[in-house]
């Protein structure tokens, strides 16, 4: 069953040109659609600045969209009030990118984990310590850390505490915004295995935001590739990694670090992509990727390709925004 649905979502930020100049619009999120089903993991990938974290804030109702709709459990989250909004907050939690900044340094582990339990009235006061200890056990920490402060822990331990806090209210969906990028590689593997184990036990869904393609390939069920605020390709994870269709997806996969025995190996060369990412204030006409695309041709700088199923047979269930697959008529 569908748990989260995003429709034509946009978020523009005004940017002033000097003190007296007119405002321009930074198109952080520019009309995206996707959904997350129950007990599934949907990943958003793309370069830094493509709008992934803005999507996370919009889904969590921490920012107001310029236009578009977000439905959670079939309800428009912009219309939630009072009790319904509190229930929504309980059903959807976040794991932040930086475990060093997302914990209050003046709060003990017990204070941090018990706070959401108190706010939502989930556990009686007399049982609070046992409930917190049980949550810590789920993430591989013992009850002896309850009275310690964040500065006493390593990065991986802090992220485990953040995960315990997110699990405290029994959410249906967790937004994981680059939850591994601030950690060492060995610690990343431990946290990723922990998330997978929790997923199997609790059937929680994830909106997983990352730029690490290997982690996305290992952890997700479906992927949306973002570029300049738009989703340019959406597919099941195995389909996308086996046969990427959008030129930008191809570039991303070829850019992932790999080890070759010889530097002259044909795949050891850098992918042929032109220039840098354009400004989200001055997005080029036509396909936003066309100034950098190695496969651009005549219609690419004139018409914006729609995100739709490729015309070619055998590609049902995936969407791509490219004139190579959906010729402009």
């Amino acid at each position: 069953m569908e748990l989260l649905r995003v429709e034509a979502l946009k978020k523009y930020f005004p940017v002033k040109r000097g003190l007296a100049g007119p405002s321009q619009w930074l198109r952080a999120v520019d009309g995206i659609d996707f959904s997350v089903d129950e007990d599934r993991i949907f990943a958003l990938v793309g370069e830094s600045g493509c709008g992934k974290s803005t999507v996370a804030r919009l889904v969590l109702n921490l920012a107001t969209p310029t236009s578009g709709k977000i439905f959670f459990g079939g309800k428009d989250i912009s219309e939630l009030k009072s009790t319904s909004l509190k229930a929504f907050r309980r059903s959807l939690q976040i794991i932040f990118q930086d475990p060093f900044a997302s914990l209050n340094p003046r709060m003990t582990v017990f204070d941090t984990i018990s706070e959401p339990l108190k706010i939502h009235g989930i556990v009686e006061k007399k049982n609070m310590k046992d409930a917190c200890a049980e949550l810590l056990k789920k993430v591989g920490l013992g009850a002896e850390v309850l009275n310690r402060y964040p500065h006493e822990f390593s990065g991986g331990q802090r992220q485990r505490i953040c995960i315990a806090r997110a699990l405290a209210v029994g959410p249906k969906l967790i937004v994981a915004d680059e939850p591994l990028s601030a950690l060492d590689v060995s610690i990343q593997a431990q946290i990723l295995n922990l998330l997978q184990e929790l997923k199997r036990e609790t059937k929680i869904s994830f909106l997983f935001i990352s730029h690490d393609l290997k982690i996305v390939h290992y952890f997700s069920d479906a992927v949306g590739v973002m570029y300049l605020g738009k989703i340019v390709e959406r597919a099941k994870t195995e389909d996308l990694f086996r046969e990427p269709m959008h030129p930008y997806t191809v570039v991303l996969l070829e850019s992932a670090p790999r080890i070759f025995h010889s530097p002259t190996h044909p795949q050891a060369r850098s992918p042929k992509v032109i220039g840098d990412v354009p400004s989200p204030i001055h997005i080029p006409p036509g396909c936003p990727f066309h100034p950098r695309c190695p496969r651009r041709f005549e219609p690419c700088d004139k018409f914006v390709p729609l995100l739709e199923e490729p015309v070619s047979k055998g590609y049902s269930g995936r969407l791509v925004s490219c004139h190579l697959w959906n010729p402009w008529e």
Side-chain angles (χ1 to χ4, degrees), residues 31-285:
I32 67 170
D33 302 87
F34 68 86
S35 63
V36 184
D37 292 339
E38 291 183 358
D39 194 21
R40 289 292 181 269
I41 300 168
F42 181 81
L44 280 178
V45 302
E47 294 171 282
S48 296
C50 69
K52 306 186 299 295
S53 292
T54 302
V55 173
R57 291 177 59 207
L58 293 169
V59 166
L60 289 159
N61 206 14
L62 299 177
T64 304
T66 302
S67 64
K69 296 288 185 181
I70 301 171
F71 297 91
F72 186 80
K75 297 179 180 179
D76 185 346
I77 68 170
S78 66
E79 298 177 358
L80 299 177
K81 306 292 181 184
S82 187
T83 305
S84 298
L85 182 59
K86 189 174 182 179
F88 166 77
R89 298 287 188 206
R90 177 176 174 177
S91 297
L92 199 151
Q93 291 289 301
I94 184 168
I95 302 171
F96 292 99
Q97 176 178 356
D98 187 359
F100 298 93
S102 57
L103 293 173
N104 188 329
R106 298 186 177 184
M107 293 176 67
T108 64
V109 174
F110 174 75
D111 294 333
T112 296
I113 298 177
S114 64
E115 186 175 41
L117 297 174
K118 294 173 184 175
I119 290 172
H120 293 280
I122 297 171
V123 177
E124 294 182 5
K125 187 176 180 179
K126 63 181 180 180
N127 298 324
M128 192 68 70
K129 190 170 183 178
D130 290 339
C132 292
E134 186 61 30
L135 285 163
L136 287 172
K137 184 179 177 181
K138 285 185 178 180
V139 299
L141 294 174
E144 68 276 3
V145 307
L146 281 171
N147 295 318
R148 292 166 62 183
Y149 289 86
H151 72 269
E152 301 178 62
F153 298 96
S154 66
Q157 288 172 322
R158 293 187 200 190
Q159 197 64 293
R160 289 173 186 268
I161 295 167
C162 293
I163 294 169
R165 178 176 60 186
L167 292 173
V169 292
K172 296 179 181 178
L173 185 143
I174 289 179
V175 177
D177 186 8
E178 300 272 12
L180 309 177
S181 62
L183 306 175
D184 294 337
V185 174
S186 59
I187 306 301
Q188 286 183 5
Q190 294 176 22
I191 299 299
L192 189 60
N193 289 335
L194 171 63
L195 291 176
Q196 229 176 13
E197 184 180 342
L198 292 171
K199 163 75 168 50
R200 284 194 297 267
E201 291 177 358
T202 61
K203 308 298 181 184
I204 293 176
S205 299
F206 281 86
L207 172 57
F208 190 78
I209 295 170
S210 180
H211 64 271
D212 193 319
L213 294 167
K214 289 184 179 179
I215 291 173
V216 167
H217 191 186
Y218 177 75
F219 189 58
S220 67
D221 299 303
V223 182
V225 180
M226 286 192 72
Y227 184 78
L228 282 179
K230 294 181 179 292
I231 290 180
V232 296
E233 185 167 0
R234 205 174 82 204
K236 292 179 180 178
T237 301
E238 289 304 323
D239 291 342
L240 185 132
F241 279 84
R242 183 181 66 251
E243 188 179 4
M245 298 181 70
H246 196 282
Y248 177 63
T249 309
V250 175
V251 168
L252 276 184
L253 295 180
E254 289 180 350
S255 299
R258 285 175 290 178
I259 298 174
F260 298 98
H261 295 296
S262 171
T264 59
H265 190 286
Q267 293 185 23
R269 301 169 188 167
S270 299
K272 294 180 180 179
V273 61
I274 307 164
D276 298 319
V277 182
S279 165
I281 301 174
H282 303 290
I283 295 177

